[in-house]
């Protein structure tokens, strides 16, 4: 080898080594089931908005399962930040614990599972209720009739949620749903009289699930000639809007756990019209590849 060539070879190998090392260090470590879980995720549960009912339950869980005293913490962020952290973790096969809930597209898009909650801190399953202001049935029996007939399933709701998650406008996704499900729509609209421009005001909390249901109900009402406006609010003002009569109805009440406090606070000041979706659930969730972690109780020791 000539001297020049030797320098070139040494230089090249150094370069490759550097690239190799930096690639290694930038790729985060994959989940290791043989090591303790806590240190792998900085004893941190990736949460969502501070105002979410589920965050309150998650805080309670930290205490109830003795995690707080072991320095576990709940990180506040947003649905968007949480799902993007989850996305990255899953791509890298890393450990992660999130505040998860159903119905939501995260359970369709990612291989994740709820952790068992033997102390029942998150409650069992929940239902999504339609609630109305007390005088609404009297003032607008037609729109009330539609609300009292509206109910669907998690997989039906997912059709709209996934489209919206793919970037489709929620109103358009709701209209498409209506044109694809004529039989179901006919049942929802059965016997509902023409609205003749009568106003209806729906309030909701802008979770993906409620964006789907509220936009759909608005399109259904408008298709019968009602003039429907929808307004997104935080959970507390959403409940207050119904209780004070500032709004007519909402299809986004999570009961009995997540919005349980509001239902209690406004008892007698709202009408519980019906359950519009059964089998909602909140809780801590992890990727399915974390095979040895199946219960919140196990977070502490594993
Ligand atoms: N969530 C789950 C809402 C309702 C249940 C995040 C969509 C919340 O926790 O407030």
């Amino acid at each position: 080898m000539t001297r020049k060539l030797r320098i070139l070879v040494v230089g090249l190998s150094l370069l490759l080594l550097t690239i190799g090392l930096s690639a290694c260090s930038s790729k985060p470590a994959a989940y290791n089931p043989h090591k303790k879980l806590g240190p792998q995720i900085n004893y941190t549960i990736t949460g969502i908005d501070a105002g979410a009912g589920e965050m309150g339950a998650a805080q309670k869980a930290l205490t109830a399962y003795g995690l707080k005293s072991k320095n576990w913490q709940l990180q506040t962020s947003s649905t968007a930040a949480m799902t993007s952290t989850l996305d990255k973790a899953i791509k890298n096969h890393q450990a992660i614990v999130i505040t998860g809930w159903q119905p939501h597209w995260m359970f369709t898009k990612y291989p994740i599972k709820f952790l068992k909650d033997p102390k029942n801190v998150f409650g069992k399953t929940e239902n999504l209720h339609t609630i109305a202001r007390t005088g609404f049935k009297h003032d607008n029996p037609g729109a009330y009739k539609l609300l009292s007939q509206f109910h669907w399933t998690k997989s039906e709701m997912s059709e709209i949620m996934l489209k919206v998650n793919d970037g489709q406008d929620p109103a358009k996704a709701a209209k498409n749903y209506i044109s694809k499900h004529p039989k179901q729509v006919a049942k929802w609209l059965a016997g509902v009289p023409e609205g003749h421009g009568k106003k209806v005001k729906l309030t909701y909390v802008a979770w993906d699930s409620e964006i789907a249901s509220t936009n759909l109900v608005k399109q259904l009402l408008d298709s019968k000639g009602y003039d429907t406006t929808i307004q997104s609010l935080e959970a507390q003002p959403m409940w207050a809007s119904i209780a004070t009569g500032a709004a007519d109805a909402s299809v986004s009440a999570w009961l009995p756990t997540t919005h349980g406090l509001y239902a209690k606070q406004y008892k007698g000041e709202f009408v519980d019209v019906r359950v519009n979706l059964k089998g909602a659930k909140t809780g801590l969730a992890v990727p399915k590849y974390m095979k040895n972690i199946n219960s919140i109780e196990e977070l502490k020791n594993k």
Side-chain angles (χ1 to χ4, degrees), residues 48 51-55 101 126 207 209-210 254 258-259 282:
I48 49 171
E54 185 173 3
M55 289 293 274
W101 66 93
E126 292 203 90
W207 303 110
S209 42
E210 279 63 50
W254 285 62
T258 305
H259 291 168
T282 67

Side-chain angles (χ1 to χ4, degrees), residues 75-97:
Q75 188 180 10
T76 305
S77 65
S78 64
T79 305
M82 182 274 280
T83 48
S84 103
T85 308
L86 176 66
D87 188 275
K88 278 186 211 129
I90 287 192
K91 279 186 181 135
N92 294 315
H93 225 262
Q94 283 170 279
I96 185 167
V97 181

